[in-house]
C-alpha cells in the first residue's frame, strides 16, 4: 500500500518544520508529566496529612486520578490528535460498560 | 438448593473445569475475531463504500464485533475467578471466607445478555439481505435499520439484571432493568416493520431462503412478546426457572438464529461452494423444520405455566405434563428429520457438482454477487467503485454486467499463510488439559501446563519477531486468469 | 513501497506507525483491544470493591492495616516516570533516531523492573507480616487478583519491549517495525492508566478507610 504521508517538495525544509513540531510536542509532554506528578503529590498528601474528612479526600483523589488519566490518554497516547474519533468512541464505550459494572458491584450485590 | 450448597461447596468432577477452560480459550478466539472484523470494516472498505452504503449483514457484524469486544472481558473475569477458586483455593464465591456469589451472577449476565444479541444480530443481517434480494426492492428504511441495530447493541448492555429479578436486588434495580428491557422492543419492532414493508409492493419470489425469512417474522415476534412478559419483573417471579422461559428463548434463538443460519446457508451456499442446493429438498427441510419447531416449543409455554421447572430432564408421572412433553418430543424428531434432509441435500448437490455463475439467484444486490462462485482467494482483481447502496444492483439497473473498477489493474498484496495460530491454540489446549486434572493433585499435571504455555508463548514470540511481509500476486498473472475475477 | 526499505531523516514519514496499511490496522486493532482491556480491568476493580475488607473473622488484616504510603508512592513514581521515558522513546522514533529510542526504552524497561521488584517485595511483606494471602480471605483473593493482573501486564510488557529491542537492535527502524514499537508503547501507557486507578482506588482509598 502506498505511503499516504505527503512530504513537501523540498524534504529538508519539511524536515526542519517537523523536527520543530515534534520538539514542541515533546515540551508539552514534559509539562503534562510535571502536572501529573503534581496531582499525584496532592493525592498522596491528602491521604498522608491527618485531619481531612474522608468525605473530602475520596472525591478529590478520584477526580485527580480522572484528570491524570485524561492527560495520559490525550497527550501521552496522542488522542488529542485528529483521526482518533473511532478510537475515542470505542474506548469510551468500554469505559461506560466498565463504569456500569463498577456501579453495580458497589450497589446491588447484597453488601 | 441451600442444603446442597452446604454439603457440597462446589461441583465435583471435571465438568465445570472443562467448560471454564474451554470457554476461556474460545472466548479469546472470539475476542480476536471481533477485533479483526472491526478493523477490517473500519479501515479496509473499498472506494465509495461509506458506512451508510454498507450491507446490513456487514453492519450487524460490525455491531456484533463491538458487543464481543465489551461483553467477553467480564466473562473472562468471571471464569478466572471461578478457575482460581477451584484450582488455587481463592475465596471469591466462598461466603464463609467473605466471598459473594452474586458477583458471579452479575459477571455472567453482563456477558450473557449482550451474548444473545451477538447471536441474533447476524441473523437479522442475513434476513435483511434476503428480504431485499427476493422482494427485488431496496431494503425499506435502510437508515432506520442501521440505527435500530446500533441501538439494540447499545441497550443490550443495560438490561442484564432481567435474568436476576428473583435474586433480590430490590424494587428499584428491578424496575430500572425491567423498563430498559422493554425499551429494546422499540428498535426490534422497527426492524420487524421494515422487513414487512420491504416485501410490501415488491415482486416477491418465494425461494427457500425467502421462506425462512418470511417464517422468521411471526416466529421471532412470538419470542419477542414472551420476552416482554418476562421483562415484567412481578410476572417474572412466576415464570422464572420454569419451562415458560425455555419456550421464550427457544422462540428467539431457534425462531431467529437457527432459521437465520438455515436461510443463510441456503442463500450463500452457491457463493461459498459454486453449487446450488436443491430447492425441492430445501422446501421439505423448511416445512418439516418449521412445523417441528413450533410443535416442540409452543407447548412448552403451557408446560411452564403448569409448573414444570427448567433444567430438570425428568418429571413426575400423573402431573398432567405427559401429553405436552410427548408433543414436544414429536416436534424434536421432526426437526431432526429436517436437518437430515438438509445433509442429504448437501451431499447430493456436492456429488452432482453443477457449477453456477456469479449471481445464481439472479437478483443479487451486493458486491459478493459480482465475483465468481466460489470467489477467487483475492476476491476482486481491482477494487470495485461503489456508487450507492446495493452497488451491484445499481450497476445492473444501468445495464452493466460488472462493477466499475476504482483502480487500475496492479499487483495485489496478500498475507502469507502461517502455522503459528494453530500452534498458539494447540499450546493452550495442552495447558488446559493439564489444568483440568490439576485439581486432583496429580503431579504430572504441572509440567503439562508449563509445556503448553511455553508452546503458546514461544509461538507468539516467533510470530512477533519473524518478519512476514506477505507476497504479491503479479499483474501479469491476474491478466492471464481466464475467469476475470475482478470484473465479471 | 517495501516495508523494510531504508529511510533518511527526510524521507522518514511524520507518523511512521500509520504509514502503511498494516501499520494502520495494527494501530487501530490495538486500540480496540485496549477498549476491551478497559472492561476487563473494570470488572476486576468491581470485584475488588465488592470484596474489599470482606474477611472470615475479626483477626484478619483489612486494607487500612496493610497499605503504607511510602511504598505505594515510590512504585507510583517509578511507573509514572517510565511512562514519560516511553514518550521520549516515541519522540525519537518519529525523528528517526533509533539509538536514542533504544536508550529511552532501556530506561523504561529498567523502571518497569524496579516497579515489579517492589511489587514482589510488597506481596511478600503482606504474606509474612499480616498473613494476608491469596487464600486467607475473599479480600485477599480479590486484592491479589486485581493487583496481580496488573503486575502480569507489566511483566508481559517488559518481555514484549525487550524482545522488540533485541530483534531490531541491528537493523534499526523501518516501516515494518515502527508500528510494533508504537503499539508496545501504547500498551505501556495503558498499564500506567490502570495503575493510576489502582493507587487511587486500592491504596489511597484503602488507607482512608
Ligand atoms: Cu437477557
Amino acid at each position: 500500500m502506498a505511503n499516504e504521508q505527503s512530504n513537501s517538495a523540498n524534504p529538508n525544509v519539511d524536515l526542519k518544520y517537523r523536527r520543530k513540531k515534534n520538539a514542541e510536542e515533546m515540551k508539552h509532554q514534559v509539562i503534562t508529566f510535571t502536572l501529573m506528578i503534581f496531582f499525584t503529590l496532592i493525592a498522596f498528601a491528602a491521604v498522608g496529612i491527618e485531619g481531612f474528612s474522608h468525605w473530602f479526600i475520596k472525591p478529590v483523589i478520584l477526580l485527580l486520578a480522572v484528570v491524570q488519566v485524561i492527560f495520559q490518554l490525550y497527550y501521552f497516547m496522542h488522542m488529542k490528535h485528529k483521526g482518533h474519533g473511532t478510537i475515542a468512541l470505542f474506548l469510551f464505550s468500554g469505559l461506560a460498560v466498565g463504569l456500569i459494572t463498577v456501579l453495580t458491584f458497589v450497589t446491588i450485590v447484597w453488601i | 438448593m441451600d442444603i446442597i450448597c452446604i454439603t457440597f461447596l462446589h461441583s465435583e468432577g471435571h465438568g465445570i473445569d472443562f467448560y471454564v477452560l474451554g470457554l476461556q480459550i474460545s472466548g479469546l478466539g472470539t475476542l480476536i475475531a471481533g477485533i479483526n472484523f472491526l478493523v477490517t470494516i473500519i479501515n479496509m472498505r473499498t472506494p465509495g463504500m461509506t458506512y451508510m452504503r454498507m450491507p446490513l449483514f456487514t453492519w450487524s457484524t460490525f455491531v456484533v464485533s463491538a458487543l464481543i469486544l465489551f461483553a467477553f472481558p467480564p466473562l473472562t473475569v468471571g471464569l478466572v475467578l471461578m478457575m482460581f477458586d477451584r484450582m488455587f483455593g481463592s475465596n471469591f464465591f466462598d461466603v464463609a471466607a467473605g466471598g459473594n456469589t452474586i458477583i458471579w451472577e452479575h459477571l455472567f449476565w453482563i456477558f450473557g445478555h449482550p451474548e444473545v444479541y451477538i447471536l441474533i444480530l447476524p441473523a437479522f443481517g442475513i434476513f435483511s439481505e434476503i428480504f431485499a434480494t427476493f422482494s427485488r426492492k431496496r431494503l425499506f428504511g435502510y437508515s432506520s435499520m442501521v440505527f435500530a441495530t446500533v441501538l439494540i447493541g447499545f441497550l443490550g448492555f443495560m438490561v442484564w439484571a432481567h435474568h436476576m429479578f428473583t435474586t433480590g436486588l430490590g424494587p428499584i434495580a428491578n424496575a430500572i432493568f425491567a423498563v430498559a428491557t422493554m425499551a429494546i422492543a422499540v428498535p426490534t419492532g422497527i426492524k420487524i416493520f421494515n422487513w414487512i414493508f420491504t416485501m410490501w409492493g415488491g415482486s416477491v419470489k418465494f425461494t427457500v431462503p425467502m421462506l425462512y425469512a418470511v417464517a422468521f417474522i411471526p416466529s421471532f415476534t412470538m419470542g419477542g412478546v414472551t420476552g416482554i412478559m418476562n421483562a415484567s419483573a412481578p410476572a417474572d417471579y412466576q415464570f422464572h426457572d420454569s419451562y415458560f422461559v425455555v419456550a421464550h428463548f427457544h422462540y428467539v434463538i431457534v425462531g431467529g438464529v437457527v432459521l437465520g443460519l438455515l436461510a443463510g446457508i441456503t442463500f450463500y451456499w452457491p457463493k461459498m461452494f459454486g453449487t446450488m442446493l436443491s430447492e425441492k429438498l430445501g422446501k421439505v427441510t423448511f416445512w418439516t423444520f418449521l412445523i417441528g419447531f413450533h410443535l416442540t416449543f409452543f407447548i412448552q409455554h403451557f408446560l411452564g405455566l403448569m409448573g414444570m421447572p427448567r433444567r430438570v430432564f425428568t418429571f413426575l408421572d400423573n402431573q398432567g405434563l405427559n401429553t405436552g412433553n410427548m408433543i414436544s418430543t414429536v416436534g424434536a424428531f421432526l426437526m431432526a428429520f429436517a436437518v437430515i434432509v438438509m445433509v442429504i441435500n448437501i451431499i447430493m448437490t456436492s456429488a452432482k457438482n453443477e457449477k453456477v455463475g456469479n449471481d445464481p439467484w439472479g437478483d443479487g444486490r451486493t458486491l459478493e454477487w459480482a465475483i465468481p462462485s466460489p470467489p477467487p482467494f483475492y476476491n476482486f482483481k481491482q477494487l470495485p467503485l461503489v456508487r450507492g447502496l446495493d452497488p451491484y444492483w445499481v450497476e445492473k439497473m444501468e445495464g452493466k454486467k460488472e462493477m466499475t473498477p476504482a483502480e487500475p489493474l496492479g499487483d495485489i498484496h496478500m498475507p502469507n499463510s502461517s502455522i503459528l495460530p494453530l500452534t498458539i491454540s494447540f499450546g493452550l489446549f495442552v495447558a488446559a488439559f493439564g489444568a483440568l486434572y490439576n485439581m486432583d493433585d496429580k503431579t504430572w499435571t504441572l509440567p503439562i501446563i508449563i509445556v503448553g504455555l511455553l508452546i503458546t508463548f514461544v509461538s507468539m514470540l516467533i510470530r512477533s519477531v519473524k518478519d512476514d511481509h506477505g507476497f504479491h500476486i503479479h499483474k501479469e498473472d491476474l491478466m492471464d486468469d481466464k475467469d476475470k475475477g475482478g470484473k465479471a | 513501497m517495501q516495508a523494510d526499505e531504508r529511510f533518511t531523516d527526510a524521507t522518514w514519514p511524520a507518523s511512521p506507525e500509520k504509514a502503511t496499511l498494516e501499520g494502520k490496522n495494527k494501530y487501530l486493532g490495538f486500540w480496540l483491544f485496549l477498549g476491551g482491556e478497559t472492561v476487563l480491568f473494570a470488572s476486576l476493580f468491581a470485584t475488588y470493591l465488592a470484596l474489599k475488607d470482606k474477611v472470615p473473622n475479626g483477626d484478619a488484616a483489612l486494607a487500612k492495616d496493610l497499605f503504607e504510603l511510602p511504598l505505594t508512592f515510590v512504585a507510583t513514581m517509578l511507573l509514572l516516570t517510565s511512562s514519560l521515558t516511553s514518550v521520549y522513546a516515541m519522540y525519537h522514533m518519529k525523528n528517526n533516531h533509533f539509538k536514542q529510542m533504544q536508550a529511552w526504552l532501556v530506561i523504561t524497561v529498567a523502571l518497569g523492573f524496579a516497579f515489579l521488584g517492589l511489587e514482589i517485595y510488597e506481596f511478600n511483606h503482606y504474606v509474612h507480616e499480616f498473613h494476608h494471602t491469596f487464600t486467607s480471605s475473599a479480600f485477599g483473593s480479590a486484592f491479589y487478583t486485581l493487583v496481580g493482573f496488573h503486575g502480569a501486564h507489566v511483566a508481559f510488557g517488559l518481555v514484549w519491549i525487550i524482545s522488540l529491542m533485541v530483534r531490531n537492535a541491528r537493523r534499526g527502524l523501518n516501516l515494518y517495525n515502527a508500528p510494533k514499537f508504537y503499539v508496545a508503547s501504547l500498551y505501556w501507557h495503558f498499564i500506567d492508566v490502570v495503575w493510576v486507578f489502582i493507587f487511587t482506588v486500592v491504596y489511597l482509598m484503602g488507607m482512608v478507610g
Side-chain angles (χ1 to χ4, degrees):
Chain A
M1 278 292 153
N3 174 11
E4 283 183 14
Q5 303 288 333
S6 64
N7 297 334
S8 79
N10 183 346
N12 286 321
V13 175
D14 193 50
L15 178 68
K16 238 186 197 162
Y17 169 72
R18 271 168 44 201
R19 283 280 154 85
K20 213 178 116 203
K21 225 177 67 177
N22 285 350
E24 214 160 90
E25 207 196 331
M26 196 59 229
K27 208 172 75 194
H28 289 163
Q29 306 279 31
V30 176
I31 295 169
T32 309
F33 175 73
T34 319
L35 283 172
M36 280 163 57
I37 295 291
F38 182 61
F39 290 150
T40 312
L41 284 172
I42 296 178
F44 275 85
V47 176
I49 298 167
E50 314 247 320
F52 291 119
S53 144
H54 69 93
W55 287 106
F56 169 74
I57 299 176
K58 281 184 183 175
V60 167
I61 59 178
L62 272 177
L63 187 71
L64 290 173
V66 169
V67 174
Q68 207 179 126
V69 163
I70 290 172
F71 276 178
Q72 279 270 357
L73 291 172
Y74 279 84
Y75 285 87
F76 283 11
M77 294 165 92
H78 303 288
M79 264 174 69
K80 73 180 166 67
H81 292 200
K82 67 175 193 294
H84 283 72
T86 320
I87 286 168
L89 173 72
F90 277 88
L91 195 75
F92 289 122
S93 303
L95 213 56
V97 174
L99 283 177
I100 293 173
T101 310
V102 171
L103 182 67
T104 301
F105 278 51
V106 294
T107 50
I108 45 170
V109 286
W110 283 12
I111 48 167
Chain B
M1 173 177 159
D2 295 51
I3 302 160
I4 297 168
C5 281
I6 291 161
T7 354
F8 306 102
L9 204 52
H10 55 80
S11 307
E12 311 254 313
H14 294 301
I16 301 280
D17 307 307
F18 182 78
Y19 100 64
V20 166
L21 294 161
L23 274 174
Q24 205 69 285
I25 295 171
S26 56
L28 201 63
T30 311
L31 185 75
I32 294 166
I35 292 175
N36 197 337
F37 278 129
L38 286 171
V39 172
T40 308
I41 292 172
I42 294 170
N43 271 359
M44 298 176 74
R45 281 168 288 126
T46 197
M49 181 61 87
T50 59
Y51 280 110
M52 291 312 274
R53 284 178 185 173
M54 285 194 322
L56 257 194
F57 194 15
T58 313
W59 254 113
S60 57
T61 306
F62 183 68
V63 173
V64 158
S65 303
L67 293 186
I68 288 172
L69 183 62
F70 302 131
F72 272 74
L75 177 72
T76 306
V77 170
L79 294 175
V80 161
L81 304 188
M82 199 211 275
M83 202 167 81
F84 282 3
D85 266 14
R86 292 177 67 87
M87 281 180 70
F88 309 123
S90 60
N91 301 304
F92 292 105
F93 308 130
D94 183 358
V95 181
N100 183 333
T101 53
I102 309 298
I103 60 178
W104 164 264
E105 284 190 37
H106 276 300
L107 285 173
F108 183 82
W109 286 115
I110 289 171
F111 151 79
H113 189 82
E115 166 66 17
V116 302
Y117 292 111
I118 293 170
L119 293 175
I120 196 65
L121 285 179
F124 283 180
I126 293 170
F127 282 130
S128 300
E129 303 301 322
I130 290 173
F131 276 119
T133 305
F134 295 111
S135 304
R136 291 181 266 196
K137 193 162 156 278
R138 88 173 247 176
L139 192 69
F140 185 88
Y142 170 82
S143 35
S144 70
M145 275 308 226
V146 171
F147 168 72
T149 310
V150 176
L151 195 63
I152 289 175
F154 178 73
L155 287 174
F157 275 102
M158 323 249 155
V159 299
W160 76 89
H162 62 213
H163 299 269
M164 301 167 63
F165 283 149
T166 60
T167 303
L169 304 176
I172 296 172
N174 277 6
I176 292 171
F177 283 104
V179 171
T181 304
M182 291 184 195
I184 292 196
V186 177
T188 317
I190 291 175
K191 284 179 161 285
I192 298 281
F193 283 110
N194 279 340
W195 288 318
I196 294 172
F197 286 134
T198 304
M199 289 188 286
W200 182 281
S203 89
V204 180
K205 206 156 69 171
F206 282 102
T207 59
V208 173
M210 188 61 171
L211 285 174
Y212 281 114
V214 172
F216 149 80
I217 291 183
S219 306
F220 183 82
T221 305
M222 283 169 72
V225 169
T226 51
I228 296 290
M229 291 169 74
N230 284 323
S232 323
D236 183 68
Y237 274 73
Q238 307 303 315
F239 305 137
H240 191 88
D241 257 348
S242 80
Y243 252 67
F244 187 83
V245 177
V246 177
H248 155 68
F249 70 70
H250 279 89
Y251 260 84
V252 286
I253 297 303
V254 182
V257 182
V258 177
L259 289 186
L261 286 173
L262 295 173
I265 289 174
T266 321
F267 185 52
Y268 289 113
W269 191 270
K271 188 47 68 189
M272 290 189 286
F273 301 105
T275 53
M276 200 74 166
L277 289 174
S278 150
E279 284 280 289
K280 210 176 273 167
L281 285 177
K283 278 178 183 160
V284 172
T285 301
F286 166 73
W287 283 111
T288 45
F289 191 89
L290 188 72
I291 293 167
F293 156 62
H294 281 283
L295 216 52
T296 308
F297 297 110
F298 189 70
I299 194 80
Q300 289 182 357
H301 292 109
F302 301 100
L303 285 170
L305 294 176
M306 284 153 74
M308 184 165 153
R310 70 186 275 206
R311 296 202 177 95
V312 180
F313 69 93
T314 51
F315 53 91
L316 208 58
D317 203 12
N318 298 323
Q319 303 288 307
L321 303 175
N322 297 26
T323 318
N325 276 289
M326 190 52 173
I327 293 172
S328 228
T329 307
V330 172
F333 274 106
L334 267 180
M335 283 193 284
F337 174 77
V339 175
I340 291 168
V341 172
M342 178 160 207
V343 173
I344 294 171
N345 193 352
I346 288 171
I347 294 171
M348 279 173 59
T349 309
S350 310
K352 271 197 222 147
N353 201 20
E354 286 168 15
K355 290 293 179 196
V356 292
N358 295 355
D359 184 13
W361 297 105
D363 298 307
R365 308 178 72 82
T366 41
L367 285 177
E368 67 269 31
W369 305 108
I371 50 174
S373 317
F377 68 100
Y378 49 82
N379 292 359
F380 286 88
K381 276 183 184 172
Q382 295 158 280
L383 287 180
L385 180 68
V386 171
R387 301 193 295 152
L389 180 64
D390 296 336
Y392 189 42
W393 187 260
V394 170
E395 302 293 329
K396 279 201 266 189
M397 286 303 103
E398 289 184 6
K400 294 185 190 144
K401 289 208 163 60
E402 56 195 38
M403 296 302 299
T404 314
E407 56 174 11
L409 188 62
D411 294 357
I412 300 177
H413 186 220
M414 297 291 294
N416 284 322
S417 306
S418 167
I419 190 77
L420 287 169
L422 197 70
T423 57
I424 290 174
S425 32
F426 176 72
L428 289 175
F429 163 75
V430 173
F433 187 83
L436 198 56
Y437 291 98
N438 188 259
M439 247 72 55
D440 306 338
D441 296 318
K442 292 199 172 88
T443 42
W444 56 266
T445 56
L446 197 63
I448 299 238
I449 296 176
I450 293 170
V451 167
L453 289 178
L454 268 180
I455 295 175
T456 296
F457 282 113
V458 170
S459 306
M460 280 170 74
L461 187 72
I462 296 172
R463 165 75 183 70
S464 174
V465 299
K466 203 182 123 206
D467 282 8
D468 186 349
H469 295 300
F471 67 99
H472 283 89
I473 312 170
H474 294 290
K475 195 171 148 185
E476 297 73 33
D477 300 332
L478 286 172
M479 284 194 295
D480 294 343
D481 223 341
K482 278 288 182 289
D483 67 353
K484 287 185 143 193
K487 297 219 148 179
Chain C
M1 169 182 297
Q2 285 296 314
D4 53 357
E5 176 188 331
R6 300 295 311 176
F7 286 89
T8 66
D9 283 3
T11 56
W12 185 240
S15 299
E17 75 277 7
K18 285 177 281 186
T20 61
L21 179 66
E22 281 72 22
K24 263 189 215 129
N25 288 347
K26 194 165 282 189
Y27 178 77
L28 178 62
F30 196 78
W31 264 108
L32 296 177
F33 172 74
L34 291 183
E37 286 257 287
T38 307
V39 186
L40 185 102
F41 274 104
S43 304
L44 288 169
F45 270 106
T47 307
Y48 173 80
L49 288 171
L51 298 178
K52 184 190 168 205
D53 289 348
K54 295 285 185 292
V55 289
N57 53 56
D59 307 332
L62 301 180
K64 62 177 184 330
D65 311 320
L66 286 171
F67 305 140
E68 287 160 29
L69 221 40
L71 192 73
T72 314
F73 183 73
V74 175
T76 303
M77 284 303 141
L78 287 172
L79 214 56
L80 283 185
T81 311
S82 81
S83 211
L84 180 76
T85 55
S86 84
V87 170
Y88 265 110
M90 288 309 106
Y91 164 66
H92 287 297
M93 186 195 83
K94 290 199 172 180
N95 283 346
N96 199 22
H97 293 157
F98 180 69
K99 288 243 168 65
Q100 286 96 319
M101 183 191 84
Q102 293 278 79
W104 282 108
L105 285 179
V106 168
I107 301 173
T108 307
V109 166
L111 290 165
F113 271 113
F115 172 86
L116 215 54
L118 216 54
E119 190 153 89
I120 291 166
Y121 164 78
E122 181 202 353
F123 284 4
N124 200 36
H125 179 69
Y126 296 153
V127 169
H128 290 106
E129 300 294 314
F130 295 95
H131 303 291
H132 174 73
T133 69
F134 187 59
T135 54
S136 65
S137 63
F139 172 45
S141 308
F143 169 78
Y144 287 110
T145 304
L146 170 60
V147 183
F149 247 76
H150 176 264
H153 273 72
V154 174
F156 187 86
L158 289 173
V159 174
W160 184 3
I161 295 175
I162 290 171
S163 56
L164 277 181
M165 282 161 55
V166 172
R167 170 68 182 91
N168 298 298
R170 282 191 179 183
R171 61 176 177 177
L173 279 168
N174 56 39
L175 288 186
Y176 183 71
N177 60 26
K180 293 182 175 223
F181 280 108
Y182 192 86
V183 157
S185 97
L186 278 182
Y187 179 81
W188 196 257
H189 290 306
F190 182 77
I191 290 172
D192 212 36
V193 165
V194 174
W195 181 256
V196 169
F197 281 115
I198 289 185
F199 87 68
T200 305
V201 173
V202 176
Y203 290 94
L204 293 185
M205 284 168 73
M207 275 180 264
V208 172

